[in-house]
Amino acid sequence: MDPTQFNRQILSVSDRLFRLAKSILRNAEAAQDAVQDLNMKLWEKRSALNDVENVPAFLLRSMRNLCLDSIRQQREGDELPIELEFAEPNPHQQVEQKDLVARIRSMIDDLPELQRTIIRMRDVEGMDLSEIAYITSLTENAVSVNLSRARQKIRQRIIYEQKCVEETVWKE
Amino acid sequence: MERINNLLEKYFRGETSLAEEAELKSYFTSNENVNAEHEVYRALFMTFDLEKQETPGISISKVYDQQKSKNFWIKTFSYSGIAAALVLALWVQYPRQEKNYAIMHGRRIEDPEYAQKYAAKKMSDVNEMIQNGLKPLRNMEAIKENLRSADKNGTLKSEITESDKNNNINN
């Protein structure tokens, strides 16, 4: 694979790679570094890309694995809790995050890594279940189950927050 | 309305197709008059739509600039290494290809027979010079030997004289 072909392949998915990395790492700067890191690694092994059938899916899968390795290394160093699933927003946050879009983003970020990766691959990127299964190394059925769980959790959360807002309005 | 309700239920169960999901997204993001009971989900589909527009914010070419610079240094070091290896190889190889020769009075002699004869003659000259040079030393050695024996006799005489003196005192 020559540099022009390589550039074309990477550039075609660079935005998706960034969004996936940002979703997993929950940090834009760390995501930019991860994308650059992946590009460097792929450049060194670019000849192997010739044998890959679905290059965009392969790149996304590599991106996810790289991000998970990075989280694992960070956890070993910092001994952070594994996942912060649906942390209850305090009143200050409720006032601060009035913007529902920002709140929903935060809700998705609070999901376990696999669920937030799957919901974004499907609902943001519009990817096929088989592609998501390849990227996450799961069966299509497992992807479907995780997607359903992620959507249900977000739905419950939205309804709950809506109720909280209505109650606050009534009290006032 | 009923269709959207059904689609939403199907969506939250994770059973919608990509086409059905596209229909829902279109309803929530392109439609100004979303039904009040669906309003609660509008932000969800708006979020997906906004997230899709998100980009890294930095040019990906930065990576290739770094790569190019890295490649430049790799190439420079590789070529320098190859050049150094070639110079070393030539330096090692070159004397082996040369004929043996000797320098005599500033003249380069490549005929081995002539050089051997010349060397043998010079060695014989040197030998003769050494022999002649050692002659005075040999004479000196002979003189030293004579002196040593003379000295020894002298010591003996002095010892005899000393014992004679002692005898005379005792008497």
Side-chain angles (χ1 to χ4, degrees):
Chain A
M1 186 177 281
D2 64 45
T4 320
Q5 282 176 310
F6 182 80
N7 278 4
R8 206 171 42 234
Q9 292 274 17
I10 296 285
L11 282 171
S12 67
V13 283
S14 62
D15 288 353
R16 274 200 281 171
L17 291 174
F18 168 74
R19 288 194 291 265
L20 174 64
K22 194 185 164 202
S23 176
I24 298 171
L25 300 171
R26 295 187 278 205
N27 180 306
E29 270 182 41
Q32 284 174 351
D33 290 347
V35 173
Q36 298 216 0
D37 197 14
L38 181 75
N39 284 339
M40 295 284 193
K41 283 181 179 162
L42 288 171
W43 174 259
E44 281 158 19
K45 293 175 184 172
R46 61 191 179 280
S47 56
L49 288 175
N50 292 328
D51 305 327
V52 176
E53 202 180 313
N54 184 346
V55 175
F58 173 80
L59 296 177
L60 287 162
R61 183 181 169 140
S62 307
M63 184 81 264
R64 179 169 182 259
N65 291 338
L66 192 140
C67 290
L68 293 180
D69 283 346
S70 155
I71 289 173
R72 237 170 266 137
Q73 282 170 4
Q74 203 183 339
R75 247 182 232 150
E76 280 166 17
D78 300 347
E79 291 178 6
L80 287 172
I82 293 170
E83 287 287 350
L84 299 165
E85 195 177 347
F86 279 156
E88 196 70 26
N90 59 40
H92 178 68
Q93 276 178 315
Q94 285 180 0
V95 176
E96 206 177 50
Q97 298 189 358
K98 273 184 181 168
D99 182 358
L100 257 175
V101 171
R103 264 313 287 151
I104 289 167
R105 280 186 142 180
S106 168
M107 287 175 203
I108 298 170
D109 279 337
D110 287 342
L111 289 170
E113 183 280 318
L114 189 61
Q115 290 180 10
R116 67 176 183 267
T117 298
I118 289 174
I119 196 173
R120 280 187 166 127
M121 277 183 188
R122 180 69 178 190
D123 290 333
V124 177
E125 310 297 345
M127 292 170 80
D128 213 56
L129 287 181
S130 60
E131 264 186 310
I132 301 172
Y134 169 77
I135 294 162
T136 53
S137 311
L138 294 175
T139 61
E140 283 186 38
N141 187 47
V143 170
S144 201
V145 168
N146 276 287
L147 178 64
S148 168
R149 278 182 194 158
R151 285 174 175 169
Q152 294 281 6
K153 281 181 188 174
I154 297 293
R155 182 187 206 179
Q156 285 165 12
R157 196 75 203 166
I158 292 171
I159 291 168
Y160 171 79
E161 290 213 355
Q162 188 67 24
K163 235 168 110 182
C164 289
V165 170
E166 281 167 10
E167 280 171 11
T168 316
V169 171
W170 275 108
K171 274 177 195 170
E172 282 170 358
Chain B
M1 175 88 78
E2 191 59 31
R3 177 163 173 78
I4 296 297
N5 281 338
N6 288 340
L7 280 179
L8 275 172
E9 287 310 312
K10 220 175 151 187
Y11 168 82
F12 285 114
R13 285 199 305 271
E15 291 168 0
T16 37
S17 67
L18 280 171
E20 287 169 331
E21 285 163 20
E23 194 181 330
L24 278 174
K25 278 172 197 167
S26 171
Y27 170 75
F28 282 105
T29 56
S30 319
N31 192 358
E32 285 294 312
N33 304 311
V34 172
N35 196 285
E37 65 175 302
H38 300 145
E39 193 64 44
V40 70
Y41 300 120
R42 190 209 275 262
L44 178 64
F45 290 95
M46 294 275 284
T47 307
F48 295 145
D49 199 45
L50 285 169
E51 283 202 1
K52 182 136 198 186
Q53 292 162 28
E54 212 171 335
T55 57
I58 54 153
S59 172
I60 205 82
S61 61
K62 201 177 162 188
V63 176
Y64 304 108
D65 290 343
Q66 286 173 4
Q67 202 63 56
K68 271 183 204 164
S69 150
K70 195 180 163 190
N71 286 347
F72 168 78
W73 288 110
I74 289 170
K75 276 181 189 169
T76 307
F77 283 120
S78 305
Y79 291 147
S80 310
I82 291 165
L86 279 171
V87 168
L88 190 70
L90 283 171
W91 181 70
V92 170
Q93 199 64 24
Y94 188 66
R96 285 185 192 168
Q97 290 172 345
E98 276 196 346
K99 286 179 180 175
N100 289 328
Y101 66 92
I103 302 289
M104 294 169 187
H105 300 296
R107 208 153 58 87
R108 188 182 164 114
I109 307 296
E110 288 179 359
D111 181 4
E113 205 178 328
Y114 179 82
Q116 269 176 2
K117 278 181 184 172
Y118 185 87
K121 188 183 177 302
K122 285 288 163 193
M123 288 296 283
S124 136
D125 288 352
V126 168
N127 188 36
E128 202 176 318
M129 275 170 71
I130 290 168
Q131 293 304 322
N132 289 338
L134 287 174
K135 248 182 196 174
L137 287 173
R138 277 199 213 101
N139 292 339
M140 281 293 288
E141 203 60 40
I143 291 165
K144 271 186 184 173
E145 190 61 36
N146 288 339
L147 278 170
R148 243 182 257 126
S149 56
D151 191 38
K152 214 175 180 182
N153 291 337
T155 318
L156 278 171
K157 267 183 187 173
S158 63
E159 279 173 9
I160 292 162
T161 319
E162 202 64 34
S163 63
D164 285 348
K165 272 181 187 176
N166 292 334
N167 288 336
N168 290 335
I169 292 163
N170 294 335
N171 292 332

